[in-house]
Amino acid sequence: MTDRLLRTAIAAALLPAPALLAAFRQGMAVDYKRDRHDPVTVHDRRAEAVIRDLIFREVPDSTFMGEEGGTTGTGQVKWFVDPIDGTSNFAAGIAFWCTSVGAVVDDKVVAAAIHDPVSGAIFSASGAGAWLNDQPLAPAHASAEPHATLITGYPVARDFALDGRDVALSRFGRLVETVATVRRPGSAALSIAHVAAGWADAALGFSVNPWDVTAASLILQRSGGRYLPLTLGKCAADAPAHMQPGYVALRRGADHPTVVAIAEEISAERSQRMNRILETEGLRA
């Protein structure tokens, strides 16, 4: 079954690439969901629809959870799909976006595929291992923390609202002073895949959804890296890793204690704040 799910995940991740590449850098209308930092295009919706059709055709016993169309079906195999992770980049013409497809059975990620159409890279994973374009994905050990390359979008405007501007900027400053370079490329799935490949040493995210990280988390772990989930006060500590809204991704052999400590500090403070809110609401009730 896992082999079939992996084949389906890869086929689904590859399927919309020709249409997406044809639209890339050609100019397009952009709508917005939560706010101006959360764009969507007609290409996101079309890509998700063709992926959904393929998955139900190949694996009828499925539940499909896509970023754009929500949940469809009630099957045993749960699919978390982001048709374009990095829509802002896609719409702007920046070549850092991907299609991400992950399959989950009994709360465990069992098959994954991420396709970067611009570079042609297809990352995939199952219980048997992780691959980049059919070659085993097992990067050399990481650099020490002072020489590391870190990928993170932190902080964005929502982080300022949650943590305070001065606190968030101070934390960002600590990250900049700790590692060699910090990058903000703008796609969680593709960033984690780059960590899995050893092209970056670590990645941090603090506002992700399951379709952003489900596939990437398995690819990272099967490549020998570590995926550390963060609750951020939004879910139980024992929630499946791919369902938690924050993460630290570390490449094979990476030991970055300061980076991990800052991420855990953010998660702990947000959790404490959420607990205070819930206690206050309980007293009012």
Side-chain angles (χ1 to χ4, degrees), residues 63-83:
T63 301
F64 183 94
M65 283 164 272
E67 178 174 15
E68 311 308 334
T71 302
T72 305
T74 57
Q76 176 190 15
V77 184
K78 296 181 179 180
W79 297 87
F80 292 92
V81 174
D82 196 336

Side-chain angles (χ1 to χ4, degrees), residues 171 230-233 261-276:
R171 286 173 174 152
L230 302 168
T231 71
L232 301 173
I262 291 170
E264 291 178 340
E265 175 184 306
I266 293 168
S267 184
E269 290 191 6
R270 291 189 188 181
S271 296
Q272 291 168 4
R273 188 181 307 114
M274 182 60 68
N275 288 337
R276 289 194 295 269

Side-chain angles (χ1 to χ4, degrees), residues 239-261:
H242 64 280
M243 298 298 292
Q244 299 195 30
Y247 69 87
V248 182
L250 300 171
R251 68 179 279 187
R252 178 172 176 254
D255 180 21
H256 301 324
T258 304
V259 170
V260 172

Side-chain angles (χ1 to χ4, degrees), residues 118-149:
V118 178
S119 72
I122 176 77
F123 304 86
S124 60
S126 70
W131 301 271
L132 171 58
N133 295 341
D134 298 324
Q135 297 299 311
L137 193 58
H141 286 288
S143 303
E145 190 171 58
H147 302 284
T149 295

